[in-house]
Amino acid sequence: MQTNLRGRDLITTQEWTKDEIDTILDLAMDLKRARAVGREHSYLRDKVLGMLFFFSSTRTRASFEAGIAQLGGHGAFIDSVTTQISHGDTAREIGEIYGRYFDGIAIRQCDWGVGNAYIREVAAASRVPVLNMQCDIYHPFQILADLLTIIEKKGDPRGKTIAVSWAYASSYQKPLSVPQDLILLMGRYGMNVRLVHPPEYALMPEIVDQARENARRAGGSFQVMDNMDDGFAGADIVYPKSWGCWLTTEDTATSAAIGHKYTNWIADERRMALAQSDAIYMHCLPADRNIEVTDAVLDGPQSVVYDEAENRLHVQKAVMALTMR
């Protein structure tokens, strides 16, 4: 266990060692037990987390607000449209000023080509830790919760096969952050990672290269596949979700037309039967029901989406406790 994490930013797990990530998971499990039995754990009494949102949220806002309160602190929700950011407040000014008001700053900014750079500019100016609640490249807290869920459900992840697959959705062009962070972190834990997508839905080449190297170093494997059935075949974990074809086009009409070619990329009962009989279905939510995934799968016995969502709370509490104390 690492004990020197005070003041650390968490923008991507790539910048944390495996020992440090193990520390997050260990503490998250302990805090989950504490919550279950009512054990007091107000490690951040009188601490305040500023939460700056450029995008809407269901789980992220709720879990961070609940988490900081359960740790004895307070979460200040800030919608970017209610600030002066559109009138001239720069990322540096946000970092300098919020870093003096708060004990930690959490930001969700997913604009393509903007979000990660913005968060890093805030972090460079801040005297307190900056936490990435999702950007255009990474979604570290979701993926930490995913990894904790896999360990709970499947035991040692080493040697397990996970299919990170694109799936069709009729909603907007979603960020690349979830699949990119999944392939990065799961490979570091020795998993056999399958990245499955149609040709237009490639992820950032540098991220794919890092994921392949992560898997190689940890003794896992990494494959890129273009057939959803093949990706599901024999998998221990399936994680099919939609993401945008950002590297092909940024035009919404063009991206919608491309997506319509692949409406059969859906997580259904037939595809689940291709995976291991005890395979688990995962999704970060929200999912487009009966478009991206059928009700029978999302609400079925192999689905762990609600445990996965709960684990957002516990990993976030662990990181806040370790970095904001």
Side-chain angles (χ1 to χ4, degrees), residues 16 38 40 111 141-142 169 187 197:
W16 285 52
E40 194 275 338
D111 283 331
F141 291 100
Q142 178 63 55
H197 59 79

Side-chain angles (χ1 to χ4, degrees), residues 37-114:
V37 300
R39 190 176 81 229
E40 194 275 338
H41 53 282
S42 53
Y43 303 135
L44 295 180
R45 189 175 299 279
D46 299 327
K47 301 288 187 180
V48 183
L49 177 72
M51 303 180 301
L52 175 59
F53 283 83
F54 290 81
F55 283 79
S56 59
S57 169
T58 302
R59 282 148 295 278
T60 298
R61 175 184 176 180
S63 56
F64 268 102
E65 280 193 358
I68 188 66
Q70 290 165 21
L71 291 169
H74 172 72
F77 171 73
I78 306 158
D79 188 327
S80 64
V81 300
T82 66
T83 71
Q84 299 284 9
I85 289 173
S86 62
H87 298 160
D89 276 334
T90 66
R92 178 182 175 182
E93 289 164 355
I94 292 296
E96 283 279 5
I97 295 166
Y98 281 4
R100 299 175 189 220
Y101 294 162
F102 301 122
D103 301 287
I105 305 170
I107 305 173
R108 168 171 276 189
Q109 169 44 299
C110 302
D111 283 331
W112 177 245
V114 174

Side-chain angles (χ1 to χ4, degrees), residues 259-315:
H260 286 149
K261 298 192 299 182
Y262 303 108
T263 56
N264 63 330
W265 281 59
I266 182 173
D268 56 16
E269 301 93 307
R270 182 189 68 80
R271 285 200 167 101
M272 284 302 302
L274 299 174
Q276 296 288 344
S277 60
D278 62 347
I280 57 173
Y281 165 84
M282 304 185 74
H283 196 291
C284 57
L285 300 179
D288 286 14
R289 283 179 175 268
N290 299 307
I291 298 173
E292 193 175 1
V293 55
T294 62
D295 285 342
V297 171
L298 187 58
D299 298 324
Q302 292 171 276
S303 174
V304 299
V305 296
Y306 299 122
D307 292 329
E308 186 181 356
E310 179 188 341
N311 282 337
R312 287 288 303 276
L313 173 69
H314 307 303
V315 298

Side-chain angles (χ1 to χ4, degrees), residues 112 136-137 164-166 174-184 193-209 211 222-224 241-248:
W112 177 245
D136 51 330
I137 302 176
V164 179
S165 176
W166 184 83
K174 298 177 182 179
L176 305 182
S177 46
V178 169
Q180 291 194 156
D181 244 346
L182 276 168
I183 64 173
L184 285 169
V193 179
R194 297 174 179 172
L195 172 62
V196 191
H197 59 79
E200 298 92 340
Y201 289 89
L203 302 184
M204 296 169 65
E206 59 269 37
I207 297 294
V208 173
D209 288 345
F222 182 83
Q223 291 177 273
V224 179
K241 77 168 301 291
S242 179
W243 63 81
C245 51
W246 291 103
L247 300 182
T248 300

